[in-house]
Amino acid sequence: MESRIKFNRLVAGGIFVAASMMLGSGPIFAEEKLKVGFVYPSPIGDNGWSHRHEVGRQDVIAHFGDQIETTFVESVPEGPDATRVITQLALTGHELIFTASFGFMEPTLQVAEKFPNVHFENNTGFKTAPNVSVYNARFHEGRVVFGTIAGMMTETNTVGYVASFPIPEVIMGINAFTLAAQKVNPDVEVKVVWVNTWYNPALEADAAQVLLDQGADFITQHTNSPAPCQRAEEAGVFCFGQDADMSQFAQKAHLTGIVNNWGPYYIRRVQDVLDGTWETDHTWDGISGGLLMMAPYNDTLSDDVKAAATKVEQALKDGTLNPFAGPITNANGEMVIDEGEALTDKQVHEMNWFVQGVDGELPT
């Protein structure tokens, strides 16, 4: 069983939520079925981020059947609106709530403090609490594969990157992409355009056009819609998809993409709640852990490029390749990590600098 709740309906119910909180009401727990809530920052039809979370929810429904009841709320703005939506889910008996955005981290923590018996899971955040876990994928690993392909194939040595927000998750992806590209082609320069949104197809397409106008013959992205790939297809250049297999939108341009695979994680955490074994955790898995997969390689890739990409993917999977192994120099020409050493996960999580070869301002 499932419920689909539009964001505007929840906003309309805000007075009820506020009144219930003032009266000290707690969540009303389901007696027979575990109620599981999902909060998405963009529409499930975005063909990217929220779509793949929705696929994960459907995996949960298929696995547990009548043991659970799920609700999802799409297109929820980050900030106070998210707090209201998460609160409403807690008040209506949802005992496990997944909030699928970095911008939902603080609202999740605020609501979790008021509902200590509800389990919360925030995607891409870093702060935990006794009843709040965080989970994320090593998206930057996929961009190592991207960089390898782009470095081998670019003719202009200029590669474009449509970036959402200057948070570590995005910055580490830009840096991993750049390092991988330069590993096979030291002359590669990566130009970055910030759009300050996760999902705005028109703005994403405009950003891709800016990069094309600057000579980019590859477009990659850390935004949710297929618009950058569609613009690349129109311009006759190559692209890499984000979050989901976007090849249907750019059959010639799309060489591969990152595919987020949340279903196995969601199933495991729902089972933990059903078993009474749920505990706060911090999950950060990549290709090896199955949270991240690569979209099929385009048949137009030459044998040597495909072999190199496959080799990199396998090395990431078996742990023999560290994307942030030294030597690494930052954009100011300063040595960050020496040869023979590598950045720690903590250093990667706190990344707020560009590697040498990235052309673009890093907003504060």
Side-chain angles (χ1 to χ4, degrees), residues 42 114 176 199 201 203 223-224 272 300:
S42 52
K114 297 181 176 68
Y199 179 75
L203 195 56
T223 52
N224 296 353
D272 288 344
T300 61

Side-chain angles (χ1 to χ4, degrees), residues 26-49:
I28 305 169
F29 293 114
E31 296 179 2
E32 298 180 356
K33 298 181 179 181
L34 174 68
K35 296 182 73 173
V36 185
F38 296 80
V39 184
Y40 306 145
S42 52
I44 60 172
D46 63 5
N47 298 296
W49 180 258

Side-chain angles (χ1 to χ4, degrees), residues 127-146:
K127 295 182 181 179
T128 62
N131 60 331
V132 179
S133 280
V134 294
Y135 63 104
N136 201 356
R138 296 176 182 262
F139 306 116
H140 64 277
E141 290 186 351
R143 291 179 172 85
V144 177
V145 179
F146 295 173

Side-chain angles (χ1 to χ4, degrees), residues 97-120:
I97 301 172
F98 295 97
T99 60
S101 176
F102 179 87
F104 295 159
M105 179 177 66
E106 293 298 341
T108 300
L109 290 164
Q110 294 168 16
V111 178
E113 189 174 1
K114 297 181 176 68
F115 297 92
N117 294 322
V118 177
H119 308 89
F120 296 86

Side-chain angles (χ1 to χ4, degrees), residues 207-218:
Q209 187 60 54
V210 169
L211 294 165
L212 293 169
D213 292 343
Q214 294 178 15
D217 60 357
F218 272 84

Side-chain angles (χ1 to χ4, degrees), residues 147-160 181 184-185 187-189 215-218 238 255 305:
T148 302
I149 295 171
M152 295 180 70
M153 293 181 62
T154 179
E155 296 181 356
T156 66
N157 289 330
T158 299
V159 180
V184 296
N185 181 354
D187 295 327
V188 167
E189 181 180 62
D217 60 357
F218 272 84
F238 297 112
L255 298 182
V305 173

Side-chain angles (χ1 to χ4, degrees), residues 7 37 157-158 167 204 215 303 312 315 329 331 341:
F7 166 67
N157 289 330
T158 299
I167 60 176
E204 294 171 60
D303 290 343
V312 167
T329 304
E341 301 179 359

Side-chain angles (χ1 to χ4, degrees), residues 48-78:
W49 180 258
S50 292
H51 164 69
R52 288 302 302 175
H53 281 285
E54 176 61 10
V55 170
R57 186 181 73 90
Q58 294 296 335
D59 290 343
V60 170
I61 293 171
H63 184 85
F64 291 101
D66 291 340
Q67 295 182 73
I68 63 167
E69 177 182 337
T70 70
T71 301
F72 74 90
V73 191
E74 60 186 336
S75 302
V76 178
E78 297 171 343

